[in-house]
Amino acid sequence: MQPKVSLRTGAVTGIEFLARWRAEEGKWLTPASFIPTCEENGLMDQLTERVIDRAFEIAKSLGDGQDTPFFAINISAATLVDLTFPDRLQAKARKFDLSLDNFILEITEASILGDLRRNFEVLSRLRLKRITLAIDDFGTGHSTLTQLQHVPASELKLDRSYVSLALADHRSRAILESAVSLARKLGMRTVAEGVETKDIMNLTRDLGVDDLQGFLICPPISEKDYVDWRQDWTTDKKRFFAA
């Protein structure tokens, strides 16, 4: 789990559920270590289902109806061609007595490049069920503007590859500025990924980015650690944000 916070107020606006794999020696492996293997062996559907089930369990335990954040889940390319997925997701939400209004599905640009017609049909069905869609790692795909034109998304996650370099590299800053401006014109919220320094945080805020996510605020943590972090954040955020 990794929270994201508002660049204006510091309020927690969302929690992204991240897949991790515990190796035999107890070490936690990042997605880069096991996602390719899952993809090669046709296991992405099973992994996605497991992440969704666990996300719903945690969301149920955290959602108290007061200041409940959005819960974000990453969806694979394999899931986007499954026309039964929207109905199955809704059934899971009902099982946990949760509203899909509080969930965001994050979709990478690369995952949409396959069967476009089928992908867009699945995405449209999800939107009809009132779930929020976000384009993840924006700026790394090959058909960025096409995705913005056709994908019914309302959130844009700006990739860390140019967010982190925006202060030192004028090209990265220009890409960041353009992406934020485009998102604003399209009525989309923006999230800066991979924010690790206060200078980058201040830059993204000055450019009009809505939310930030990164090690500066909080690294990926467990459910228990998130509860502790959330309690401490009320005080800690004063170091970053004006009251």
Side-chain angles (χ1 to χ4, degrees):
M1 299 171 58
Q2 188 175 31
K4 64 180 180 181
V5 302
S6 166
L7 271 162
R8 298 291 175 270
T9 66
V12 178
T13 56
I15 303 169
E16 180 180 359
F17 292 98
L18 303 168
R20 295 293 184 268
W21 196 289
R22 189 189 293 273
E24 291 184 359
E25 65 272 19
K27 179 182 178 181
W28 286 101
L29 304 178
T30 63
S33 303
F34 59 85
I35 291 295
T37 301
C38 288
E39 291 175 334
E40 292 169 6
N41 292 277
L43 298 174
M44 284 305 299
D45 270 344
Q46 293 93 317
L47 177 61
T48 299
E49 288 292 325
R50 176 55 187 148
V51 171
I52 291 174
D53 286 342
R54 185 66 183 126
F56 279 15
E57 292 172 1
I58 295 175
K60 182 64 176 178
S61 69
L62 294 177
D64 56 6
Q66 297 180 351
D67 194 26
T68 302
F70 280 92
F71 302 104
I73 305 170
N74 292 277
I75 299 301
S76 71
T79 303
L80 284 181
V81 296
D82 183 356
L83 293 175
T84 70
F85 174 66
D87 287 335
R88 290 191 291 107
L89 185 67
Q90 186 174 58
K92 286 179 183 289
R94 288 172 176 167
K95 176 183 175 182
F96 286 93
D97 193 26
L98 293 169
S99 170
L100 287 179
D101 293 47
N102 291 332
F103 283 85
I104 298 174
L105 296 185
E106 296 189 2
I107 306 139
T108 62
E109 293 178 77
S111 70
I112 309 175
L113 297 180
D115 187 341
L116 295 179
R117 182 192 62 78
R118 200 174 181 90
N119 287 343
F120 295 148
E121 185 171 350
V122 173
L123 294 174
S124 296
R125 292 185 184 189
L126 289 167
R127 283 298 296 134
L128 288 173
K129 296 182 183 300
R130 301 177 63 84
I131 197 162
T132 299
L133 300 176
I135 297 179
D136 198 11
D137 301 334
F138 181 78
T140 60
H142 298 290
S143 56
T144 297
L145 296 181
T146 299
Q147 311 313 328
L148 286 179
Q149 181 181 8
H150 295 290
V151 177
S154 54
E155 181 174 285
L156 207 60
K157 300 196 74 175
L158 309 168
D159 191 69
R160 68 185 66 233
S161 62
Y162 56 89
V163 169
S164 62
L165 296 175
L167 277 175
D169 178 59
H170 74 279
R171 291 180 180 270
S172 295
R173 176 166 179 154
I175 293 172
L176 182 59
E177 290 178 339
S178 297
V180 173
S181 176
L182 184 57
R184 185 180 297 115
K185 291 177 181 177
L186 294 173
M188 303 174 72
R189 290 186 63 81
T190 49
V191 182
E193 298 184 285
V195 177
E196 298 185 358
T197 70
K198 195 167 183 179
D199 286 340
I200 291 294
M201 182 194 78
N202 290 334
L203 173 62
T204 56
R205 180 166 51 196
D206 291 344
L207 292 179
V209 176
D210 295 300
D211 299 329
L212 72 84
Q213 187 175 16
F215 277 66
L216 177 67
I217 301 301
C218 183
I221 52 178
S222 67
E223 176 188 1
K224 178 183 180 302
D225 289 338
Y226 170 77
V227 173
D228 295 337
W229 173 87
R230 183 69 184 264
Q231 292 176 342
D232 294 338
W233 180 242
T234 301
T235 301
D236 291 346
K237 70 180 179 182
K238 295 177 182 179
R239 294 187 292 118
F240 300 98
F241 305 92

